[in-house]
Amino acid sequence: MENVSIFWFRRDLRLEDNTGLYYAYNQEKNILPIFIFDRNILDKLEDKKDARVTFIHTQIEKLQSQLKEFGSSILVKYGEPMEVWKELLKTYTIENVYTNRDYEPYAISRDKAVKDLLSDHGIQFLDFKDQVIFEKSEVVNGSGDFYKVFTPYSKVWLEKFRQNPPQVVSLDKRKNNFLQIDPLPIPRLESMGFENSDIKIPPLEVDKELIQKYDKLRNFPAIKGTTRLGIHLRFGTISVRKLALEAAHLNDTYLNELIWREFYMMILYHNPQVVDRAFKPQYDNIPWRRDENDFNKWCEGKTGYPIVDAGMRELNASGYMHNRVRMIVASFLTKHLLIDWRWGEAYFAKKLLDFELSSNNGGWQWAAGTGTDAQPYFRVFNPESQTEKFDKELKYIKKWVPEYGTKDYPEPMVVHKFARERAIATYKEALST
Ligand code: FAD
């Protein structure tokens, strides 16, 4: 059996500035990079043309061609991670295993099981911080507790970042520590029950001019005023360190958004219960309306509120929705319709290219008022005044709702004034019990 050390790619699909890979490369010989198409995740995806699966597959092919330049290959498996690891243990004499940490509840339990299995065979499982600048409990308050409010968290985050900027690393091409092998076959999407998606993936480009103007442009959904790098951050096709170092010179507001991303990751890490429950437990008393008919109107973009409908239609067609509009549609579902934030969250999770459990959960709980540092429950977005402020010329609305203003466009499914009062009264009542 061949002696190898393994680097396990997960949500860090790049060779450049990849922390775990960098350490493996500098400490080991015969590194075999692997990727597992995880059935525990894939089997739950309803859409067999899921654009994120196509994206991952394409990135794996890119890694394969980059590794070819090192005379190496990536080994790609399809299955349940524990079963794959048992098989790898039979095929190779494994020295050490390297990977980058993942903070989601499923990933934590998966990694623990793999670590225990490897440890039974005397193999070390070495994991590294990579997808964030600061993780877990690196940014805490004076008593060592995690922050529940964003502003003080972000201040400490920034202070640490400025005092000790992250290092960007790259593989030294003069040495080559990858296992020398011919390219191994990559399972085809079809063999895993998937097909290629036609949805376009936003390009991996850091538009410096856009970032410079980010604070002025970011709220207007009709223009390209945000970077659309979400999917690249999600799957690690961009390094967050590189992006944050760049952003720090260009625009504070943009850097602040990257801090929000880490804030929600930290919240999820310390509070895994938020996946199913309100961060503020008393909000679990709200009697959500379980009205599937109303929910479907929202999903399809047929609420009769054009800014809401434009957002939902953008999401359905492209896998993307502008942040301002995400806030509006989430507020509409949870407050105007009083439908459970978990329904909306699950719908976004199915559709968003940049779906990130922590940010999606954080964004939904913010809008529903149930989250940490959330929108107060009595603040109910008025879709009309939001439109007036952020899509005054109706450009975004007309792009996605071409029949707006004609007789084919539906009447509002609920009257704003009534919905607002109902929401406030329902929340108030639930919170007083
Ligand atoms: P830009 O505006 O260019 O920002 C750059 C990056 O910063 C983003 O890609 C993202 O990684 C991060 N970021 C920006 N805003 C936020 C924010 N408010 N919270 C956390 N991170 C942020 N973001 C996700 O990445 N995945 C999600 O599943 C997700 N679900 C959301 C659900 C709701 C209800 C709401 C209100 C927001 C959600 N967000 C989510 C946050 C935000 O809407 C998106 O990150 C942003 O719209 C992505 O577009 P962009 O890549 O052009 O971002």
Side-chain angles (χ1 to χ4, degrees):
M1 283 205 295
E2 210 157 6
N3 274 46
V4 297
S5 276
I6 291 183
F7 177 73
W8 183 10
F9 281 104
R10 288 102 65 94
R11 44 171 302 159
D12 48 2
L13 303 178
R14 63 185 192 284
L15 297 189
E16 194 52 29
D17 193 34
N18 179 323
T19 316
L21 181 62
Y22 173 79
Y23 279 100
Y25 193 80
N26 288 331
Q27 282 161 20
E28 306 290 340
K29 298 256 179 293
N30 288 341
I31 299 158
L32 174 64
I34 70 160
F35 181 82
I36 302 171
F37 277 101
D38 183 344
R39 288 199 67 156
N40 295 329
I41 299 171
L42 294 187
D43 288 356
K44 293 200 187 94
L45 298 177
E46 285 164 25
D47 180 3
K48 295 304 160 196
K49 280 190 164 185
D50 195 303
R52 297 160 299 189
V53 181
T54 306
F55 176 72
I56 295 171
H57 199 266
T58 311
Q59 294 312 312
I60 301 287
E61 285 172 339
K62 276 192 192 151
L63 285 174
Q64 174 79 304
S65 70
Q66 289 167 357
L67 285 162
K68 209 169 151 194
E69 290 171 25
F70 287 88
S72 191
S73 175
I74 185 165
L75 172 65
V76 182
K77 294 281 182 187
Y78 168 59
E80 292 190 6
M82 280 299 275
E83 298 311 312
V84 171
W85 278 102
K86 284 178 194 158
E87 186 194 321
L88 290 170
L89 284 164
K90 287 188 199 139
T91 320
Y92 299 99
T93 303
I94 304 174
E95 306 262 343
N96 289 311
V97 172
Y98 289 72
T99 199
N100 288 312
R101 279 196 278 283
D102 188 328
Y103 311 99
E104 292 185 4
Y106 165 69
I108 290 173
S109 70
R110 174 199 61 201
D111 287 359
K112 180 168 183 317
V114 171
K115 187 176 182 165
D116 291 347
L117 172 74
L118 293 172
S119 155
D120 290 344
H121 290 77
I123 300 164
Q124 285 197 80
F125 180 86
L126 301 154
D127 60 351
F128 296 83
K129 176 177 73 169
D130 182 69
Q131 74 185 44
V132 285
I133 310 284
F134 299 116
E135 64 174 1
K136 297 181 185 177
S137 304
E138 285 189 287
V139 175
V140 284
N141 66 19
S143 336
D145 292 332
F146 72 89
Y147 280 108
K148 297 182 183 69
V149 180
F150 176 74
T151 307
Y153 170 88
S154 69
K155 279 193 184 134
V156 176
W157 192 103
L158 269 174
E159 224 172 80
K160 281 175 81 89
F161 179 81
R162 299 227 154 96
Q163 273 167 10
N164 204 355
Q167 299 288 313
V168 169
V169 293
S170 53
L171 304 180
D172 181 353
K173 290 210 168 138
R174 287 165 304 180
K175 58 182 179 189
N176 182 352
N177 286 332
F178 286 112
L179 181 69
Q180 299 298 290
I181 32 166
D182 289 336
L184 299 161
I186 299 174
R188 288 162 48 83
L189 278 177
E190 289 74 12
S191 72
M192 301 183 278
F194 284 86
E195 284 175 58
N196 251 314
S197 157
D198 308 323
I199 286 186
K200 266 196 159 153
I201 303 294
L204 176 49
E205 66 186 14
V206 179
D207 182 338
K208 290 188 193 169
E209 274 178 42
L210 185 156
I211 296 180
Q212 257 162 354
K213 292 184 253 164
Y214 183 79
D215 55 318
K216 297 182 189 70
L217 303 183
R218 69 180 174 136
N219 267 315
F220 303 99
I223 54 173
K224 190 180 176 291
T226 69
T227 58
R228 309 222 168 172
L229 285 171
I231 186 168
H232 297 289
L233 284 161
R234 172 62 186 85
F235 294 107
T237 39
I238 192 167
S239 143
V240 70
R241 286 174 295 282
K242 269 192 172 174
L243 185 61
L245 287 167
E246 190 103 65
H249 297 294
L250 298 172
N251 195 295
D252 289 347
T253 310
Y254 187 80
L255 186 60
N256 208 47
E257 296 303 329
L258 296 179
I259 306 179
W260 269 107
R261 174 178 171 271
E262 299 201 358
F263 176 69
Y264 284 139
M265 285 190 182
M266 177 280 295
I267 289 289
L268 176 63
Y269 176 77
H270 287 287
N271 306 272
Q273 79 281 3
V274 296
V275 171
D276 309 302
R277 284 185 272 138
F279 180 85
K280 296 188 202 134
Q282 68 274 32
Y283 282 72
D284 280 330
N285 294 334
I286 295 168
W288 301 110
R289 290 174 63 246
R290 310 186 72 77
D291 188 322
E292 294 201 7
N293 203 22
D294 279 5
F295 179 64
N296 289 338
K297 282 189 188 160
W298 177 84
C299 292
E300 289 166 16
K302 292 185 178 160
T303 66
Y305 280 89
I307 190 77
V308 174
D309 294 342
M312 296 310 293
R313 294 187 200 184
E314 179 182 29
L315 176 66
N316 292 334
S318 70
Y320 182 77
M321 193 194 301
H322 188 277
N323 178 59
R324 169 59 47 188
V325 192
R326 289 187 205 198
M327 295 194 284
I328 298 170
V329 305
S331 170
F332 186 84
L333 186 76
T334 53
K335 298 209 170 141
H336 281 71
L337 301 183
L338 268 178
I339 288 179
D340 196 327
W341 56 270
R342 282 160 283 225
W343 289 22
E345 185 198 15
Y347 191 75
F348 269 32
K350 264 195 250 174
K351 296 278 175 183
L352 278 176
L353 291 176
D354 62 32
F355 165 57
E356 175 79 76
L357 176 59
S358 49
S359 304
N360 196 39
N361 185 276
W364 274 95
Q365 295 222 35
W366 178 86
T370 61
T372 162
D373 210 358
Q375 171 97 315
Y377 77 84
F378 47 82
R379 197 160 296 154
V380 179
F381 274 154
N382 178 338
E384 253 176 50
S385 44
Q386 290 287 312
T387 305
E388 180 65 21
K389 276 192 205 145
F390 303 114
D391 191 33
K392 202 173 171 54
E393 292 166 30
L394 309 183
K395 279 193 186 152
Y396 176 73
I397 286 177
K398 287 196 174 142
K399 176 169 180 195
W400 294 105
V401 190
E403 82 278 21
Y404 176 61
T406 74
K407 63 176 172 26
D408 295 330
Y409 188 65
E411 288 295 311
M413 64 188 285
V414 63
V415 175
H416 172 70
K417 186 169 179 290
F418 159 79
R420 181 176 177 279
E421 284 164 8
R422 177 177 67 177
I424 294 173
T426 309
Y427 271 73
K428 201 171 178 184
E429 163 92 33
L431 295 178
S432 65
T433 51

